[in-house]
Amino acid sequence: MYATNNRPDVIDILRKARKQLPGDPAFGDPLSVSGPGGARAVARAADRLVGDSPSAAREIGFGALQVWQAALERLGRGKGTQEMTVMFTDLVSFSSWSLTAGDEATLDLLRKVARAIEPPIAERGGQVVKRMGDGVMAVFPSADRAVEAAIAARRNLADTTVGTYRPRMRIGLHTGSPREIGGDWLGVDVTIAARVMEAAGNGRMMISESTLAALEPETLADLGHTARPYRRSFFAAPLSGVPEDLRIYRISSS
């Protein structure tokens, strides 16, 4: 049994078999088992017990947990087949301000910003995936809800101040099929959303063409906003890691 458990050919067969199972065939590595969830917690405990040495028992055990995790994710949400809208935000010139403002004022600002922008996300069915200092990454199952949340968050933030400093937030939205792994969302569509936010410059709100196409026709009008094509300045650096034909739109009040 020991010899069979460590035979490379047996391990290779089991690894190939895992590719036919629902879920992530690499389930068990550090990336796939981070974050909350029963299957992930069991996988982390199992990894500490059996280690990362290849074995047939390890592949069988993680194969079972892979199917369990796939079931928890409704058999495929983690495969990148479900359309989601990804939101990125951050504050303009936050780093330079925080250097002179000090830690106490910076913490005060971040708390106020979180109270301004995170409730609109949750109230519209969004999920904050991670907080990145002065910004967040969130995902929504609906482009309309994502745009509604972004506009509400900007409206809330307009009343936020720390001393004489009034933060400005830029937002980028992109709709695609990112892949959920270990409580995080990864893939080209996540990168595109981040680059769309970079195009937002000094506090604008930008959406990709795919997000605009996913909106109901009346959504922007009902919100009192319009979408106008964004044209990059001739001297601006090109956005990296995005398709050359990516079209971006600026969302502004009517």
Side-chain angles (χ1 to χ4, degrees), residues 104-166:
E104 186 174 346
T106 297
L107 183 58
D108 184 28
L109 174 69
L110 292 178
R111 285 174 171 158
K112 288 181 177 180
V113 170
R115 286 195 293 268
I117 71 174
E118 294 193 19
I121 294 173
E123 289 163 5
R124 290 162 179 80
Q127 171 196 349
V128 174
V129 178
K130 51 190 168 186
R131 298 169 181 84
M132 300 167 290
D134 59 320
V136 301
M137 171 189 171
V139 292
F140 296 80
S142 161
D144 297 272
R145 294 295 184 90
V147 169
E148 291 172 8
I151 291 173
R154 285 166 59 85
R155 187 183 304 119
N156 290 349
L157 194 64
D159 298 326
T160 300
T161 58
V162 172
T164 59
Y165 178 69
R166 187 179 299 274

Short mmCIF file of all heavy atoms in Angstrom, two decimals, residues 104-166:
data_model
loop_
_atom_site.label_atom_id
_atom_site.label_comp_id
_atom_site.label_asym_id
_atom_site.label_seq_id
_atom_site.Cartn_x
_atom_site.Cartn_y
_atom_site.Cartn_z
N GLU A 104 -3.03 58.88 12.38
CA GLU A 104 -4.35 59.02 13.02
C GLU A 104 -5.35 59.61 12.04
O GLU A 104 -6.48 59.11 11.90
CB GLU A 104 -4.24 59.92 14.26
CG GLU A 104 -5.55 60.00 15.04
CD GLU A 104 -5.39 60.77 16.35
OE1 GLU A 104 -4.23 61.00 16.76
OE2 GLU A 104 -6.42 61.13 16.93
N ALA A 105 -4.96 60.66 11.33
CA ALA A 105 -5.87 61.26 10.35
C ALA A 105 -6.13 60.32 9.19
O ALA A 105 -7.25 60.24 8.67
CB ALA A 105 -5.28 62.57 9.83
N THR A 106 -5.11 59.57 8.79
CA THR A 106 -5.27 58.61 7.69
C THR A 106 -6.27 57.53 8.07
O THR A 106 -7.15 57.17 7.27
CB THR A 106 -3.91 57.97 7.34
OG1 THR A 106 -3.03 58.99 6.87
CG2 THR A 106 -4.08 56.91 6.27
N LEU A 107 -6.14 56.99 9.28
CA LEU A 107 -7.08 55.97 9.74
C LEU A 107 -8.49 56.51 9.83
O LEU A 107 -9.46 55.84 9.45
CB LEU A 107 -6.63 55.42 11.09
CG LEU A 107 -7.47 54.28 11.68
CD1 LEU A 107 -7.51 53.09 10.74
CD2 LEU A 107 -6.91 53.85 13.05
N ASP A 108 -8.61 57.74 10.31
CA ASP A 108 -9.93 58.38 10.39
C ASP A 108 -10.56 58.49 9.01
O ASP A 108 -11.74 58.20 8.80
CB ASP A 108 -9.77 59.75 11.03
CG ASP A 108 -11.11 60.46 11.24
OD1 ASP A 108 -12.14 59.76 11.41
OD2 ASP A 108 -11.13 61.70 11.24
N LEU A 109 -9.75 58.89 8.03
CA LEU A 109 -10.25 59.03 6.67
C LEU A 109 -10.69 57.68 6.11
O LEU A 109 -11.78 57.55 5.52
CB LEU A 109 -9.18 59.63 5.77
CG LEU A 109 -9.56 59.67 4.28
CD1 LEU A 109 -10.68 60.67 4.05
CD2 LEU A 109 -8.37 59.98 3.41
N LEU A 110 -9.87 56.64 6.27
CA LEU A 110 -10.20 55.34 5.71
C LEU A 110 -11.49 54.78 6.31
O LEU A 110 -12.29 54.14 5.61
CB LEU A 110 -9.05 54.36 5.95
CG LEU A 110 -7.76 54.67 5.18
CD1 LEU A 110 -6.67 53.67 5.53
CD2 LEU A 110 -8.01 54.66 3.67
N ARG A 111 -11.71 55.04 7.60
CA ARG A 111 -12.96 54.59 8.22
C ARG A 111 -14.16 55.33 7.63
O ARG A 111 -15.21 54.73 7.36
CB ARG A 111 -12.89 54.78 9.73
CG ARG A 111 -12.01 53.75 10.44
CD ARG A 111 -11.85 54.05 11.90
NE ARG A 111 -11.18 52.94 12.59
CZ ARG A 111 -10.54 53.06 13.74
NH1 ARG A 111 -10.47 54.26 14.34
NH2 ARG A 111 -9.98 52.01 14.31
N LYS A 112 -14.02 56.63 7.44
CA LYS A 112 -15.11 57.41 6.87
C LYS A 112 -15.39 56.99 5.42
O LYS A 112 -16.55 56.91 5.00
CB LYS A 112 -14.78 58.91 6.94
CG LYS A 112 -14.84 59.48 8.35
CD LYS A 112 -14.53 60.97 8.34
CE LYS A 112 -14.67 61.56 9.74
NZ LYS A 112 -14.38 63.02 9.76
N VAL A 113 -14.33 56.72 4.68
CA VAL A 113 -14.49 56.28 3.29
C VAL A 113 -15.21 54.94 3.24
O VAL A 113 -16.12 54.72 2.42
CB VAL A 113 -13.13 56.20 2.58
CG1 VAL A 113 -13.26 55.51 1.23
CG2 VAL A 113 -12.54 57.59 2.41
N ALA A 114 -14.82 54.02 4.12
CA ALA A 114 -15.47 52.71 4.15
C ALA A 114 -16.95 52.83 4.47
O ALA A 114 -17.80 52.16 3.87
CB ALA A 114 -14.78 51.80 5.18
N ARG A 115 -17.29 53.73 5.43
CA ARG A 115 -18.71 53.93 5.77
C ARG A 115 -19.49 54.56 4.62
O ARG A 115 -20.70 54.37 4.50
CB ARG A 115 -18.82 54.80 7.03
CG ARG A 115 -18.45 54.07 8.32
CD ARG A 115 -18.93 54.83 9.54
NE ARG A 115 -18.24 56.11 9.71
CZ ARG A 115 -17.14 56.27 10.44
NH1 ARG A 115 -16.60 55.24 11.06
NH2 ARG A 115 -16.58 57.47 10.56
N ALA A 116 -18.79 55.29 3.77
CA ALA A 116 -19.46 55.95 2.64
C ALA A 116 -19.67 55.01 1.46
O ALA A 116 -20.74 55.04 0.83
CB ALA A 116 -18.64 57.17 2.20
N ILE A 117 -18.69 54.17 1.15
CA ILE A 117 -18.76 53.42 -0.10
C ILE A 117 -19.16 51.95 0.05
O ILE A 117 -19.70 51.37 -0.91
CB ILE A 117 -17.43 53.51 -0.87
CG1 ILE A 117 -16.33 52.71 -0.18
CG2 ILE A 117 -17.00 54.95 -1.05
CD1 ILE A 117 -15.03 52.65 -0.98
N GLU A 118 -18.92 51.34 1.22
CA GLU A 118 -19.21 49.92 1.32
C GLU A 118 -20.70 49.58 1.52
O GLU A 118 -21.17 48.60 0.94
CB GLU A 118 -18.35 49.27 2.40
CG GLU A 118 -16.87 49.30 2.02
CD GLU A 118 -16.01 48.42 2.90
OE1 GLU A 118 -16.56 47.51 3.57
OE2 GLU A 118 -14.78 48.64 2.94
N PRO A 119 -21.47 50.36 2.28
CA PRO A 119 -22.91 50.04 2.38
C PRO A 119 -23.63 50.04 1.03
O PRO A 119 -24.42 49.12 0.77
CB PRO A 119 -23.44 51.12 3.33
CG PRO A 119 -22.28 51.45 4.19
CD PRO A 119 -21.09 51.39 3.27
N PRO A 120 -23.39 51.02 0.12
CA PRO A 120 -24.06 50.95 -1.18
C PRO A 120 -23.71 49.68 -1.97
O PRO A 120 -24.54 49.18 -2.73
CB PRO A 120 -23.55 52.19 -1.90
CG PRO A 120 -23.17 53.14 -0.83
CD PRO A 120 -22.64 52.28 0.27
N ILE A 121 -22.50 49.17 -1.78
CA ILE A 121 -22.11 47.94 -2.46
C ILE A 121 -22.91 46.76 -1.94
O ILE A 121 -23.51 46.00 -2.71
CB ILE A 121 -20.60 47.69 -2.27
CG1 ILE A 121 -19.78 48.77 -3.00
CG2 ILE A 121 -20.21 46.30 -2.76
CD1 ILE A 121 -18.29 48.70 -2.75
N ALA A 122 -22.96 46.61 -0.61
CA ALA A 122 -23.69 45.50 -0.01
C ALA A 122 -25.19 45.59 -0.27
O ALA A 122 -25.85 44.58 -0.53
CB ALA A 122 -23.41 45.45 1.49
N GLU A 123 -25.73 46.80 -0.19
CA GLU A 123 -27.17 46.99 -0.37
C GLU A 123 -27.64 46.62 -1.77
O GLU A 123 -28.81 46.31 -1.98
CB GLU A 123 -27.54 48.45 -0.07
CG GLU A 123 -27.44 48.81 1.41
CD GLU A 123 -27.42 50.31 1.63
OE1 GLU A 123 -27.56 51.06 0.63
OE2 GLU A 123 -27.23 50.74 2.79
N ARG A 124 -26.73 46.62 -2.73
CA ARG A 124 -27.10 46.30 -4.11
C ARG A 124 -26.56 44.95 -4.56
O ARG A 124 -26.38 44.71 -5.76
CB ARG A 124 -26.62 47.44 -5.03
CG ARG A 124 -27.44 48.72 -4.81
CD ARG A 124 -26.75 49.94 -5.34
NE ARG A 124 -27.58 51.14 -5.14
CZ ARG A 124 -27.67 51.81 -3.99
NH1 ARG A 124 -26.97 51.40 -2.93
NH2 ARG A 124 -28.44 52.88 -3.89
N GLY A 125 -26.32 44.09 -3.60
CA GLY A 125 -25.95 42.72 -3.92
C GLY A 125 -24.50 42.51 -4.26
O GLY A 125 -24.12 41.43 -4.73
N GLY A 126 -23.65 43.52 -4.05
CA GLY A 126 -22.23 43.37 -4.33
C GLY A 126 -21.48 42.73 -3.18
O GLY A 126 -21.98 42.65 -2.06
N GLN A 127 -20.28 42.29 -3.47
CA GLN A 127 -19.42 41.68 -2.46
C GLN A 127 -18.06 42.35 -2.51
O GLN A 127 -17.42 42.40 -3.56
CB GLN A 127 -19.26 40.18 -2.74
CG GLN A 127 -18.20 39.49 -1.88
CD GLN A 127 -17.78 38.14 -2.42
OE1 GLN A 127 -18.42 37.60 -3.33
NE2 GLN A 127 -16.71 37.59 -1.88
N VAL A 128 -17.63 42.89 -1.37
CA VAL A 128 -16.27 43.44 -1.29
C VAL A 128 -15.30 42.28 -1.21
O VAL A 128 -15.28 41.53 -0.24
CB VAL A 128 -16.11 44.37 -0.08
CG1 VAL A 128 -14.65 44.81 0.06
CG2 VAL A 128 -17.01 45.59 -0.21
N VAL A 129 -14.51 42.11 -2.25
CA VAL A 129 -13.57 40.99 -2.31
C VAL A 129 -12.35 41.28 -1.45
O VAL A 129 -11.88 40.43 -0.70
CB VAL A 129 -13.14 40.73 -3.76
CG1 VAL A 129 -12.11 39.60 -3.84
CG2 VAL A 129 -14.36 40.39 -4.62
N LYS A 130 -11.83 42.51 -1.55
CA LYS A 130 -10.68 42.87 -0.73
C LYS A 130 -10.55 44.38 -0.64
O LYS A 130 -11.01 45.11 -1.53
CB LYS A 130 -9.39 42.26 -1.29
CG LYS A 130 -9.13 42.50 -2.75
CD LYS A 130 -7.96 41.64 -3.20
CE LYS A 130 -7.84 41.60 -4.71
NZ LYS A 130 -6.78 40.65 -5.13
N ARG A 131 -9.94 44.81 0.43
CA ARG A 131 -9.64 46.22 0.65
C ARG A 131 -8.15 46.42 0.41
O ARG A 131 -7.33 45.65 0.91
CB ARG A 131 -10.02 46.63 2.07
CG ARG A 131 -11.52 46.47 2.35
CD ARG A 131 -11.84 46.62 3.82
NE ARG A 131 -13.27 46.44 4.06
CZ ARG A 131 -13.86 45.27 4.22
NH1 ARG A 131 -13.12 44.15 4.16
NH2 ARG A 131 -15.17 45.18 4.42
N MET A 132 -7.83 47.45 -0.33
CA MET A 132 -6.43 47.68 -0.73
C MET A 132 -6.00 49.07 -0.30
O MET A 132 -5.83 49.98 -1.11
CB MET A 132 -6.29 47.52 -2.24
CG MET A 132 -6.70 46.12 -2.72
SD MET A 132 -6.91 46.00 -4.50
CE MET A 132 -8.41 46.98 -4.71
N GLY A 133 -5.88 49.27 1.02
CA GLY A 133 -5.50 50.57 1.54
C GLY A 133 -6.62 51.56 1.33
O GLY A 133 -7.62 51.55 2.05
N ASP A 134 -6.48 52.40 0.32
CA ASP A 134 -7.47 53.45 0.08
C ASP A 134 -8.52 53.05 -0.95
O ASP A 134 -9.33 53.88 -1.36
CB ASP A 134 -6.77 54.72 -0.39
CG ASP A 134 -5.98 54.49 -1.67
OD1 ASP A 134 -5.34 53.44 -1.79
OD2 ASP A 134 -6.00 55.37 -2.56
N GLY A 135 -8.53 51.80 -1.37
CA GLY A 135 -9.50 51.36 -2.36
C GLY A 135 -10.06 49.99 -2.07
O GLY A 135 -9.64 49.32 -1.12
N VAL A 136 -11.03 49.59 -2.89
CA VAL A 136 -11.62 48.26 -2.74
C VAL A 136 -11.76 47.62 -4.11
O VAL A 136 -11.80 48.30 -5.14
CB VAL A 136 -13.00 48.30 -2.06
CG1 VAL A 136 -12.92 48.92 -0.67
CG2 VAL A 136 -14.03 49.03 -2.92
N MET A 137 -11.86 46.30 -4.08
CA MET A 137 -12.29 45.54 -5.25
C MET A 137 -13.58 44.85 -4.85
O MET A 137 -13.67 44.23 -3.78
CB MET A 137 -11.25 44.49 -5.64
CG MET A 137 -11.73 43.52 -6.71
SD MET A 137 -10.58 42.15 -6.95
CE MET A 137 -11.56 41.08 -8.03
N ALA A 138 -14.60 44.97 -5.69
CA ALA A 138 -15.90 44.35 -5.41
C ALA A 138 -16.43 43.71 -6.68
O ALA A 138 -16.03 44.06 -7.80
CB ALA A 138 -16.89 45.39 -4.89
N VAL A 139 -17.32 42.74 -6.51
CA VAL A 139 -17.95 42.08 -7.66
C VAL A 139 -19.46 42.12 -7.49
O VAL A 139 -19.98 42.08 -6.37
CB VAL A 139 -17.48 40.63 -7.82
CG1 VAL A 139 -16.01 40.57 -8.22
CG2 VAL A 139 -17.71 39.82 -6.55
N PHE A 140 -20.16 42.19 -8.62
CA PHE A 140 -21.61 42.25 -8.65
C PHE A 140 -22.13 41.27 -9.70
O PHE A 140 -21.55 41.14 -10.78
CB PHE A 140 -22.09 43.65 -9.04
CG PHE A 140 -21.74 44.75 -8.08
CD1 PHE A 140 -20.47 45.31 -8.08
CD2 PHE A 140 -22.68 45.25 -7.19
CE1 PHE A 140 -20.14 46.33 -7.21
CE2 PHE A 140 -22.37 46.27 -6.31
CZ PHE A 140 -21.09 46.82 -6.32
N PRO A 141 -23.26 40.63 -9.42
CA PRO A 141 -23.86 39.76 -10.42
C PRO A 141 -24.63 40.54 -11.48
O PRO A 141 -25.13 39.95 -12.44
CB PRO A 141 -24.80 38.88 -9.59
CG PRO A 141 -25.16 39.71 -8.41
CD PRO A 141 -23.95 40.54 -8.11
N SER A 142 -24.75 41.85 -11.32
CA SER A 142 -25.52 42.68 -12.23
C SER A 142 -24.77 43.98 -12.51
O SER A 142 -24.32 44.67 -11.59
CB SER A 142 -26.90 43.01 -11.62
OG SER A 142 -27.49 44.12 -12.22
N ALA A 143 -24.64 44.31 -13.80
CA ALA A 143 -23.99 45.57 -14.17
C ALA A 143 -24.79 46.76 -13.68
O ALA A 143 -24.23 47.77 -13.24
CB ALA A 143 -23.81 45.63 -15.68
N ASP A 144 -26.13 46.66 -13.74
CA ASP A 144 -26.98 47.77 -13.29
C ASP A 144 -26.76 48.06 -11.82
O ASP A 144 -26.63 49.22 -11.41
CB ASP A 144 -28.45 47.43 -13.54
CG ASP A 144 -28.75 47.27 -15.02
OD1 ASP A 144 -29.08 48.27 -15.66
OD2 ASP A 144 -28.65 46.13 -15.53
N ARG A 145 -26.72 47.00 -11.01
CA ARG A 145 -26.50 47.19 -9.57
C ARG A 145 -25.12 47.77 -9.31
O ARG A 145 -24.94 48.58 -8.39
CB ARG A 145 -26.66 45.85 -8.85
CG ARG A 145 -28.08 45.29 -8.88
CD ARG A 145 -29.05 46.19 -8.13
NE ARG A 145 -30.38 45.65 -8.06
CZ ARG A 145 -30.83 44.85 -7.08
NH1 ARG A 145 -30.01 44.49 -6.11
NH2 ARG A 145 -32.07 44.42 -7.08
N ALA A 146 -24.13 47.36 -10.08
CA ALA A 146 -22.78 47.87 -9.89
C ALA A 146 -22.71 49.37 -10.16
O ALA A 146 -22.10 50.14 -9.41
CB ALA A 146 -21.80 47.12 -10.80
N VAL A 147 -23.35 49.81 -11.24
CA VAL A 147 -23.36 51.23 -11.57
C VAL A 147 -24.14 52.02 -10.52
O VAL A 147 -23.71 53.11 -10.10
CB VAL A 147 -23.95 51.45 -12.98
CG1 VAL A 147 -24.22 52.93 -13.23
CG2 VAL A 147 -23.01 50.89 -14.04
N GLU A 148 -25.27 51.49 -10.09
CA GLU A 148 -26.04 52.16 -9.03
C GLU A 148 -25.20 52.31 -7.77
O GLU A 148 -25.20 53.38 -7.14
CB GLU A 148 -27.30 51.34 -8.72
CG GLU A 148 -28.34 51.34 -9.83
CD GLU A 148 -29.47 50.36 -9.54
OE1 GLU A 148 -29.50 49.81 -8.42
OE2 GLU A 148 -30.30 50.15 -10.43
N ALA A 149 -24.48 51.25 -7.40
CA ALA A 149 -23.65 51.30 -6.19
C ALA A 149 -22.53 52.32 -6.34
O ALA A 149 -22.22 53.06 -5.40
CB ALA A 149 -23.07 49.92 -5.90
N ALA A 150 -21.91 52.36 -7.51
CA ALA A 150 -20.80 53.29 -7.73
C ALA A 150 -21.27 54.74 -7.62
O ALA A 150 -20.61 55.58 -6.99
CB ALA A 150 -20.19 53.04 -9.10
N ILE A 151 -22.41 55.04 -8.22
CA ILE A 151 -22.93 56.41 -8.17
C ILE A 151 -23.32 56.79 -6.75
O ILE A 151 -23.04 57.91 -6.28
CB ILE A 151 -24.12 56.56 -9.14
CG1 ILE A 151 -23.62 56.46 -10.59
CG2 ILE A 151 -24.85 57.88 -8.92
CD1 ILE A 151 -24.72 56.42 -11.62
N ALA A 152 -23.95 55.87 -6.03
CA ALA A 152 -24.32 56.13 -4.63
C ALA A 152 -23.09 56.33 -3.76
O ALA A 152 -23.07 57.20 -2.88
CB ALA A 152 -25.17 54.98 -4.09
N ALA A 153 -22.05 55.53 -4.00
CA ALA A 153 -20.82 55.66 -3.21
C ALA A 153 -20.16 57.01 -3.44
O ALA A 153 -19.70 57.67 -2.50
CB ALA A 153 -19.86 54.53 -3.58
N ARG A 154 -20.13 57.46 -4.70
CA ARG A 154 -19.55 58.77 -5.00
C ARG A 154 -20.36 59.89 -4.35
O ARG A 154 -19.79 60.87 -3.85
CB ARG A 154 -19.48 58.97 -6.51
CG ARG A 154 -18.36 58.18 -7.17
CD ARG A 154 -18.52 58.14 -8.69
NE ARG A 154 -18.53 59.46 -9.27
CZ ARG A 154 -17.43 60.14 -9.60
NH1 ARG A 154 -16.24 59.62 -9.37
NH2 ARG A 154 -17.51 61.33 -10.15
N ARG A 155 -21.67 59.73 -4.34
CA ARG A 155 -22.53 60.74 -3.72
C ARG A 155 -22.27 60.80 -2.21
O ARG A 155 -22.16 61.89 -1.62
CB ARG A 155 -23.99 60.40 -3.99
CG ARG A 155 -24.97 61.48 -3.53
CD ARG A 155 -26.40 61.03 -3.78
NE ARG A 155 -26.62 60.70 -5.19
CZ ARG A 155 -26.98 59.51 -5.63
NH1 ARG A 155 -27.14 58.51 -4.78
NH2 ARG A 155 -27.17 59.29 -6.91
N ASN A 156 -22.15 59.64 -1.57
CA ASN A 156 -21.87 59.60 -0.13
C ASN A 156 -20.51 60.22 0.18
O ASN A 156 -20.34 60.94 1.17
CB ASN A 156 -21.88 58.16 0.37
CG ASN A 156 -23.27 57.56 0.39
OD1 ASN A 156 -24.27 58.26 0.22
ND2 ASN A 156 -23.35 56.26 0.60
N LEU A 157 -19.54 59.94 -0.68
CA LEU A 157 -18.18 60.40 -0.41
C LEU A 157 -18.06 61.92 -0.54
O LEU A 157 -17.16 62.53 0.05
CB LEU A 157 -17.20 59.71 -1.36
CG LEU A 157 -15.71 59.83 -1.00
CD1 LEU A 157 -15.43 59.11 0.32
CD2 LEU A 157 -14.85 59.25 -2.11
N ALA A 158 -18.96 62.52 -1.27
CA ALA A 158 -18.91 63.98 -1.46
C ALA A 158 -19.04 64.73 -0.15
O ALA A 158 -18.59 65.87 -0.04
CB ALA A 158 -20.00 64.41 -2.44
N ASP A 159 -19.64 64.12 0.85
CA ASP A 159 -19.82 64.76 2.15
C ASP A 159 -18.74 64.38 3.16
O ASP A 159 -18.82 64.75 4.33
CB ASP A 159 -21.19 64.37 2.73
CG ASP A 159 -22.34 64.85 1.85
OD1 ASP A 159 -22.21 65.92 1.24
OD2 ASP A 159 -23.36 64.14 1.76
N THR A 160 -17.73 63.66 2.72
CA THR A 160 -16.69 63.17 3.61
C THR A 160 -15.48 64.11 3.62
O THR A 160 -14.96 64.47 2.56
CB THR A 160 -16.23 61.76 3.18
OG1 THR A 160 -17.35 60.86 3.24
CG2 THR A 160 -15.13 61.24 4.09
N THR A 161 -15.07 64.48 4.81
CA THR A 161 -13.87 65.32 4.95
C THR A 161 -13.09 64.90 6.19
O THR A 161 -13.65 64.35 7.14
CB THR A 161 -14.22 66.82 5.09
OG1 THR A 161 -15.06 66.99 6.24
CG2 THR A 161 -14.92 67.34 3.85
N VAL A 162 -11.80 65.16 6.16
CA VAL A 162 -10.95 65.04 7.35
C VAL A 162 -10.14 66.32 7.40
O VAL A 162 -9.26 66.55 6.57
CB VAL A 162 -10.03 63.81 7.27
CG1 VAL A 162 -9.02 63.84 8.42
CG2 VAL A 162 -10.83 62.53 7.32
N GLY A 163 -10.47 67.18 8.36
CA GLY A 163 -9.86 68.50 8.40
C GLY A 163 -10.29 69.27 7.16
O GLY A 163 -11.47 69.39 6.86
N THR A 164 -9.32 69.74 6.42
CA THR A 164 -9.62 70.47 5.18
C THR A 164 -9.52 69.58 3.96
O THR A 164 -9.75 70.04 2.82
CB THR A 164 -8.65 71.65 5.01
OG1 THR A 164 -7.31 71.15 4.97
CG2 THR A 164 -8.79 72.64 6.17
N TYR A 165 -9.19 68.30 4.16
CA TYR A 165 -9.00 67.39 3.03
C TYR A 165 -10.33 66.75 2.64
O TYR A 165 -11.05 66.19 3.46
CB TYR A 165 -8.00 66.30 3.39
CG TYR A 165 -7.78 65.28 2.30
CD1 TYR A 165 -7.12 65.62 1.13
CD2 TYR A 165 -8.22 63.97 2.47
CE1 TYR A 165 -6.90 64.68 0.13
CE2 TYR A 165 -8.00 63.02 1.47
CZ TYR A 165 -7.35 63.38 0.30
OH TYR A 165 -7.14 62.45 -0.68
N ARG A 166 -10.66 66.85 1.36
CA ARG A 166 -11.87 66.22 0.82
C ARG A 166 -11.43 65.18 -0.22
O ARG A 166 -10.91 65.54 -1.29
CB ARG A 166 -12.77 67.26 0.17
CG ARG A 166 -14.13 66.70 -0.27
CD ARG A 166 -14.99 67.79 -0.90
NE ARG A 166 -15.27 68.86 0.05
CZ ARG A 166 -16.29 68.83 0.91
NH1 ARG A 166 -17.09 67.76 0.94
NH2 ARG A 166 -16.48 69.84 1.73
#
